[in-house]
């Protein structure tokens, strides 16, 4: 995304938060950004298209930060707590914009935004599942989906207090507390013999198989683009990564070794974190 589009997005977020989405005209957005109305339409076809790009921009910023944390040399539990903390912070930073959407029900019902929100929902399901598996291991395989959804519910409940009620919380401590609650739930499943209501079969019926392929395809496309602009050892590293992740059973040791070569360079840390998250390395 070019800098002019980002400039429009960042000013529009502030304007929508202040005036509301429905009450803000394209001309007002152009005035706020110091551009002509025609220049606005060079970057965005409509106000609805701008809103979709705001969502994309907003979630990509969170994704970049959580992927960067995934690249850190930390235990899975510490990584996940940091990622939840960052997510709380990023969402709270845009509290007024989110409240505007809630009050106005500003999200238009069109196919592009619906598809985006569906993808974000599936991303969230898998994000929690992968991280909880990395913390608690295969022993909670049978209950992993239910535990994941319970944690998402707890996250949303605390988020409502922060966003809607404007409750001031130490989000780092909150992230620690949420995982302690998960310890109790996981321990209960392990020792009670209770069977989960949310099963793998149920979730598999909700999340299309092509979604997993789509996520991997995005990683592959990014690596191909990076390889074209790289040379020397980095180009070789990316080629090895591309070969490995497209195998039926990628070898974790090979992936970790190649990612270690990339993580020392800032411009490659994002994709390295994304690969670590996808394969739970």
């Amino acid at each position: 995304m070019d800098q002019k589009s980002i400039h429009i997005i960042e000013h529009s977020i502030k304007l929508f938060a202040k005036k509301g989405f429905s009450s803000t005209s394209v001309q007002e957005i152009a005035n706020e950004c110091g551009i002509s109305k025609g220049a606005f339409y060079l970057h965005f076809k409509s106000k609805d298209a701008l809103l979709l790009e705001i969502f994309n921009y907003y979630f990509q910023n969170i994704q970049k930060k959580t992927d960067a944390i995934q690249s850190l040399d930390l235990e899975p539990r510490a990584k996940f707590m940091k990622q939840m903390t960052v997510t709380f912070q990023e969402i709270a930073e845009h509290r007024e914009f989110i409240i505007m959407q809630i009050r106005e029900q500003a999200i238009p019902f069109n196919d592009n935004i619906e598809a985006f929100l569906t993808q974000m929902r599936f991303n969230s399901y898998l994000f929690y599942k992968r991280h909880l598996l990395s913390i608690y291991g295969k022993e909670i395989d049978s209950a992993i989906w239910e535990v994941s959804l319970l944690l998402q519910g707890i996250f949303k409940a605390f988020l409502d207090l922060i966003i809607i009620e404007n409750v001031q919380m130490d989000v780092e401590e909150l992230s620690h507390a949420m995982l302690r609650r998960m310890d109790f739930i996981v321990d209960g499943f392990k020792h009670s013999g209770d069977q989960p209501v949310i099963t793998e079969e149920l979730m598999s019926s909700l999340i299309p198989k092509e979604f997993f392929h789509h996520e991997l395809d995005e990683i592959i496309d990014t690596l191909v683009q990076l390889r074209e602009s790289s040379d020397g050892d980095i180009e070789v590293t990316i080629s090895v990564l591309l070969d490995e992740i497209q195998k039926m059973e990628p070898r974790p040791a090979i992936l970790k070794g190649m990612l270690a070569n990339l993580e020392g360079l800032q411009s490659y840390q994002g994709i390295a974190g994304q690969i670590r998250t996808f394969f739970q390395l």
Side-chain angles (χ1 to χ4, degrees), residues 5-16:
S5 295
I6 292 173
H7 175 77
I8 295 171
I9 283 172
E10 290 179 343
H11 280 74
S12 296
I13 290 174
K14 296 175 183 177
L15 196 57
F16 290 156

Side-chain angles (χ1 to χ4, degrees), residues 20 29-31 33 44 57 64 78 88 116 139 152 177 180 195 208 220 252 262 266 277:
I29 295 170
N31 293 343
C33 298
F44 303 100
Y57 177 72
K64 286 177 184 177
F88 271 126
F116 173 80
E139 58 186 322
Q152 289 181 69
R180 290 198 298 271
Q195 295 302 304
I220 292 170
L262 297 182
Q266 186 174 1
T277 300

Side-chain angles (χ1 to χ4, degrees), residues 76-237:
R77 189 183 185 97
K79 283 184 183 181
F80 192 35
M81 283 192 291
K82 282 183 173 293
Q83 288 171 322
M84 285 195 294
T85 299
V86 162
T87 304
F88 271 126
Q89 290 169 338
E90 287 292 307
I91 294 174
E93 185 178 336
H94 296 90
R95 175 177 175 269
E96 290 80 8
F97 178 68
I98 295 169
I99 288 175
M100 176 276 296
Q101 295 174 56
I102 295 170
R103 286 177 177 166
E104 294 191 23
Q105 296 183 335
I107 301 175
F109 287 97
N110 65 58
D111 291 343
N112 289 333
I113 288 183
E114 185 176 352
F116 173 80
L117 295 176
T118 298
Q119 182 176 345
M120 290 302 99
R121 189 169 67 254
F122 291 160
N123 277 341
S124 181
Y125 291 155
L126 296 173
F127 176 80
Y128 281 90
K129 179 191 177 186
R130 287 173 181 151
H131 282 287
L132 289 174
L133 274 176
S134 71
I135 293 169
Y136 296 109
K138 296 292 185 181
E139 58 186 322
I140 64 160
D141 258 357
S142 63
I144 185 59
W145 277 117
E146 189 150 321
V147 174
S148 299
L149 290 172
L150 287 170
L151 180 54
Q152 289 181 69
I154 293 172
F155 184 93
K156 184 180 183 303
F158 282 125
L159 195 59
D160 285 348
L161 290 176
I162 294 170
I163 298 299
I164 299 174
E165 308 298 344
N166 200 21
V167 175
Q168 301 301 308
M169 293 187 177
D170 182 333
V171 291
E172 185 173 356
E173 175 52 35
L174 188 56
S175 299
H176 282 262
M178 286 170 59
L179 274 184
R180 290 198 298 271
R181 307 300 180 264
M182 287 300 100
D183 291 341
F184 301 144
I185 293 173
V186 168
D187 191 61
F189 272 113
K190 286 165 60 177
H191 294 100
S192 69
D194 194 18
Q195 295 302 304
V197 175
I198 310 301
T199 62
E200 180 72 38
E201 291 74 22
L202 173 61
M203 294 305 293
S204 294
S205 70
L206 297 177
I207 304 176
K209 289 183 179 179
E210 55 264 28
F211 176 78
F212 297 93
H213 297 308
H214 174 73
E215 191 176 6
L216 184 58
D217 285 344
E218 286 186 345
I219 291 174
I220 292 170
D221 288 345
T222 300
L223 285 174
V224 169
Q225 292 175 23
L226 288 172
R227 184 174 62 181
E228 290 174 355
S229 60
S230 304
D231 54 25
D233 291 342
I234 294 299
E235 184 181 4
V236 173
T237 294

